C-alpha cells in the first residue's frame, strides 16, 4: 500500500474514532436521572401491532434524538409518546412512576391507544409541567389530588378513559389553567369551583357528576363549556349571566332548573344546547338571536314564542309548554330557506299563518305535530314525535285554564 493509501486509511480511522466519541458524548450529555427515567418508561410501554414508534429508542445513541423526546441542554422538556398520525395503532402498557424523575418536563402527551393502570402520583413532581394530555386510553382509578401542585399547568386532558372518583378540588385552584377536558370517564361527585381567570374551556360531559353549580364556580373568561350527560341539578341563571365570552354551551341531559337568562342569547355563542333539563319560565331575548343552533327542547318552558328566535338557523323548541300563535316572521324565514330546522312539536301552540299550498324548501324541516291546532301543512316529523297530529282538546282546555 502506498503512502497516499496509508494516509487515506489513517484519516478514515480518525473519522471512525471521532464518530464513536460523538456518539458516546451524545449519550453522556443527557442528565443521568433523565436517561434512567426514559429507560424505565420504555420498559413499561410497548407498540401495539402495526406501530413502530419505539424503533428509534436505541439507548446506545442520543435519547434526545428519539421519536417524541425533546431536550433543552441536558434535560428532557417534552415527551410525546406514540405516533401522532390519525389512525395509528398507539401504545399499550402502564405509565412508569419514573416519569416523575424528568424534573424539567413541561409537556407530556400520549396518543390514543391501550395504556392502562392509574396515573402515577409521581406526575405531581413535574413542577414545570404545562401540558398534560393522555386521552382515549384505558387509564383508571382516581385523578391524583396532588395534581393541584402543578401550579404552571395550563392544559389537563384526561378525556375518554376509565377514571373514577371525584374531580379533586385542588385542580380548580390551579392559577394558569386554560383547558380542562375530563369528558367520557366515570367521574362522580360535584364540579369543583375553578379559580383560574384565564380558563377558556371546561369539558366534563359524559360522566356521573351530581350537585349544583354556585354562581361564581366558573370564571367569566370561559368560551366553551360542556357539562352534558351528567346528573347536575339546581338553577344556573346567575352563573350563566356572568359568562359573556361564551361561544359554545352544552348543558343538555342534566336536571338543571329555574329560568334561562335572557342575556345568554346575546352572547357570542354559535351553538347553544340546553335540551332535556327541567328549565322553566318564559324565554324572551332582548334582541334578534344570532346563534345558529339553539336547542331548548324537552324542558318546561312556557309562554309565547318570541319572534327574536326567527333568525336562528336550527331551532328546537319541541316538548315544552309554549302557547299562542307562531310569529309570522318564522313563516317568512322558513319559506325563504333561512330557517333549516324548526321543531315546534309537543307544545300547546294554537296557530301558524302559513298557507296549505306553501312550498317549504327541501333544505328546511318543519314539525308542528301534537299542538292545540290542526297543522295547516303536512310535513315530515321525527319518528319520536309519534303519530298523533293534534293534542287532545281536554289537554288544551286544561292548559288554558
Amino acid at each position: 500500500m502506498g503512502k497516499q493509501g496509508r494516509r487515506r486509511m489513517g484519516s478514515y480511522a480518525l473519522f471512525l474514532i471521532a464518530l464513536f466519541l460523538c456518539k458516546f458524548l451524545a449519550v453522556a450529555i443527557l442528565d443521568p436521572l433523565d436517561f434512567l427515567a426514559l429507560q424505565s418508561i420504555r420498559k413499561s410501554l410497548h407498540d401495539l401491532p402495526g406501530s413502530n414508534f419505539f424503533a428509534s429508542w436505541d439507548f446506545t445513541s442520543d435519547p434526545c434524538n428519539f421519536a417524541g423526546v425533546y431536550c433543552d441542554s441536558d434535560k428532557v422538556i417534552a415527551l410525546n409518546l406514540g405516533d401522532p398520525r390519525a389512525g395509528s395503532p398507539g401504545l399499550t402498557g402502564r405509565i412508569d412512576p419514573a416519569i416523575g424523575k424528568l424534573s424539567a418536563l413541561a409537556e407530556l402527551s400520549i396518543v390514543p391507544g391501550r395504556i392502562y393502570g392509574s396515573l402515577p402520583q409521581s406526575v405531581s413532581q413535574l413542577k414545570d409541567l404545562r401540558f398534560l394530555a393522555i386521552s382515549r386510553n384505558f387509564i383508571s382509578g382516581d385523578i391524583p389530588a396532588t395534581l393541584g401542585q402543578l401550579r404552571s399547568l395550563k392544559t389537563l386532558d384526561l378525556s375518554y378513559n376509565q377514571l373514577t372518583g371525584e374531580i379533586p378540588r385542588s385542580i380548580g385552584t390551579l392559577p394558569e389553567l386554560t383547558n380542562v377536558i375530563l369528558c367520557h370517564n366515570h367521574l362522580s361527585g360535584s364540579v369543583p369551583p375553578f379559580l383560574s381567570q384565564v380558563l377558556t374551556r371546561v369539558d366534563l360531559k359524559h360522566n356521573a357528576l351530581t350537585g349544583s353549580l354556585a354562581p361564581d364556580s366558573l370564571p367569566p373568561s370561559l368560551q366553551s363549556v360542556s357539562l352534558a350527560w351528567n346528573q347536575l341539578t339546581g338553577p344556573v341563571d346567575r352563573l350563566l349571566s356572568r359568562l359573556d365570552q361564551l361561544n359554545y354551551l352544552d348543558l343538555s341531559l342534566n336536571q338543571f332548573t329555574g329560568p334561562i337568562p335572557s342575556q345568554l342569547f346575546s352572547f357570542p355563542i354559535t351553538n347553544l344546547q340546553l335540551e332535556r333539563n327541567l328549565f322553566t319560565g318564559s324565554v324572551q331575548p332582548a334582541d334578534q338571536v344570532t346563534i345558529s343552533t339553539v336547542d331548548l327542547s324537552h324542558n318546561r318552558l312556557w309562554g309565547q314564542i318570541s319572534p327574536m328566535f326567527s333568525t336562528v338557523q336550527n331551532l328546537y323548541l319541541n316538548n315544552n309548554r309554549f302557547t299562542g300563535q307562531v310569529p309570522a316572521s318564522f313563516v317568512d324565514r322558513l319559506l325563504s330557506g333561512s330557517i333549516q330546522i324548526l321543531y315546534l312539536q309537543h307544545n300547546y301552540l294554537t296557530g301558524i299563518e302559513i298557507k296549505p299550498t306553501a312550498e317549504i324548501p327541501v333544505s328546511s324541516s318543519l314539525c308542528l305535530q301534537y299542538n292545540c291546532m290542526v297543522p295547516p301543512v303536512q310535513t315530515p316529523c321525527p319518528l319520536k314525535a309519534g303519530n298523533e297530529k293534534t293534542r287532545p282538546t281536554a289537554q288544551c282546555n286544561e292548559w288554558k285554564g
Side-chain angles (χ1 to χ4, degrees):
M1 185 183 294
K3 186 183 294 184
Q4 190 173 358
R6 286 194 298 273
R7 189 181 295 119
R8 192 176 292 121
M9 286 292 292
S11 298
Y12 182 66
L14 287 171
F15 169 76
L16 289 176
I17 293 170
L19 182 63
F20 173 79
L21 287 173
C22 283
K23 287 190 73 174
F24 174 78
L25 289 172
V27 172
I29 201 170
L30 186 66
D31 181 280
L33 285 177
D34 284 28
F35 185 88
L36 292 172
L38 289 177
Q39 283 189 319
S40 296
I41 292 165
R42 173 64 187 92
K43 288 175 183 175
S44 65
L45 295 174
H46 311 281
D47 283 303
L48 284 170
S51 172
N52 61 350
F53 172 76
F54 282 122
S56 66
W57 282 49
D58 176 4
F59 285 92
T60 63
S61 62
D62 182 4
C64 294
N65 291 327
F66 291 177
V69 177
Y70 303 88
C71 301
D72 183 12
S73 185
D74 64 339
K75 304 292 287 183
V76 177
I77 59 168
L79 196 57
N80 306 135
L81 297 173
D83 190 336
R85 291 176 297 184
S88 61
L91 307 175
T92 186
R94 294 175 177 268
I95 305 170
D96 194 279
I99 203 158
K101 301 293 185 183
L102 299 174
S103 58
L105 200 65
E107 180 178 322
L108 171 60
S109 66
I110 302 179
V111 302
R114 294 190 169 273
I115 306 297
Y116 55 88
S118 60
L119 185 66
Q121 290 275 354
S122 59
V123 171
S124 305
Q125 299 169 16
L126 304 172
K127 302 304 181 187
D128 294 330
L129 198 64
R130 296 193 297 271
F131 184 88
L132 175 58
I134 306 173
S135 179
R136 296 179 186 273
N137 278 279
F138 292 85
I139 302 295
S140 59
D142 293 353
I143 299 173
T146 49
L147 291 185
Q149 298 170 14
L150 303 177
R151 308 306 285 176
S152 298
L153 195 65
K154 294 180 180 295
T155 292
L156 175 63
D157 183 356
L158 301 175
S159 58
Y160 293 89
N161 279 291
Q162 306 290 326
L163 293 166
T164 53
E166 298 191 2
I167 302 172
R169 290 182 70 86
S170 59
I171 301 280
T173 68
L174 294 173
E176 303 294 327
L177 210 54
T178 58
N179 298 286
V180 182
I181 309 167
L182 301 174
C183 58
H184 290 269
N185 279 287
H186 307 295
L187 298 169
S188 57
S190 59
V191 177
F194 288 94
L195 306 182
S196 170
Q197 295 304 303
V198 292
L199 190 64
T200 57
R201 181 183 180 189
V202 170
D203 189 347
L204 308 178
K205 65 176 174 282
H206 282 271
N207 279 290
L209 300 170
T210 56
S212 58
L213 302 175
D216 58 352
S217 59
L218 297 175
S221 56
L222 277 166
Q223 297 173 18
S224 176
V225 174
S226 182
L227 303 176
W229 290 86
N230 281 287
Q231 299 156 34
L232 297 165
T233 57
V236 288
D237 52 319
R238 290 172 60 196
L239 170 65
L240 295 179
S241 298
R242 298 171 56 252
L243 306 183
D244 59 359
Q245 302 301 308
L246 281 177
N247 57 48
Y248 180 85
L249 178 62
D250 187 356
L251 303 183
S252 58
L253 288 117
N254 279 285
Q255 299 165 37
F256 289 120
T257 57
I260 298 171
S262 59
Q263 56 264 56
L264 181 66
F265 299 101
S266 64
F267 294 166
I269 299 174
T270 56
N271 195 315
L272 178 60
Q273 305 282 341
L274 300 180
E275 71 270 19
R276 296 186 183 275
N277 278 283
L278 303 173
F279 288 118
T280 56
S282 176
V283 187
Q284 298 296 327
D287 298 299
Q288 290 293 154
V289 179
T290 58
I291 305 170
S292 60
T293 296
V294 174
D295 193 341
L296 307 181
S297 65
H298 294 272
N299 278 289
R300 298 176 179 179
L301 303 169
W302 48 262
Q304 297 202 341
I305 294 174
S306 170
M308 297 301 175
F309 282 118
S310 64
T311 43
V312 176
Q313 196 172 8
N314 304 297
L315 182 62
Y316 303 83
L317 298 179
N318 54 287
N319 295 80
N320 277 287
R321 298 169 181 178
F322 289 112
T323 55
Q325 288 264 334
V326 178
S329 53
F330 278 91
V331 178
D332 295 339
R333 295 185 62 81
L334 182 70
L335 296 180
S336 70
S338 299
I339 295 178
Q340 293 186 356
I341 294 175
L342 181 57
Y343 281 178
L344 303 175
Q345 69 270 22
H346 286 259
N347 280 289
Y348 293 82
L349 299 170
T350 52
I352 181 172
E353 293 184 9
I354 186 170
K355 295 178 181 178
T357 57
E359 291 191 12
I360 298 172
V362 177
S363 60
S364 300
S365 296
L366 170 67
C367 186
L368 297 169
Q369 201 165 302
Y370 209 69
N371 276 286
C372 297
M373 62 175 171
V374 176
V377 289
Q378 299 301 313
T379 55
C381 285
L383 291 175
K384 290 181 181 178
N387 297 321
E388 295 183 80
K389 298 296 181 186
T390 305
R391 186 180 286 276
T393 305
Q395 289 186 16
C396 292
N397 290 337
E398 182 182 345
W399 186 246
K400 281 182 188 176

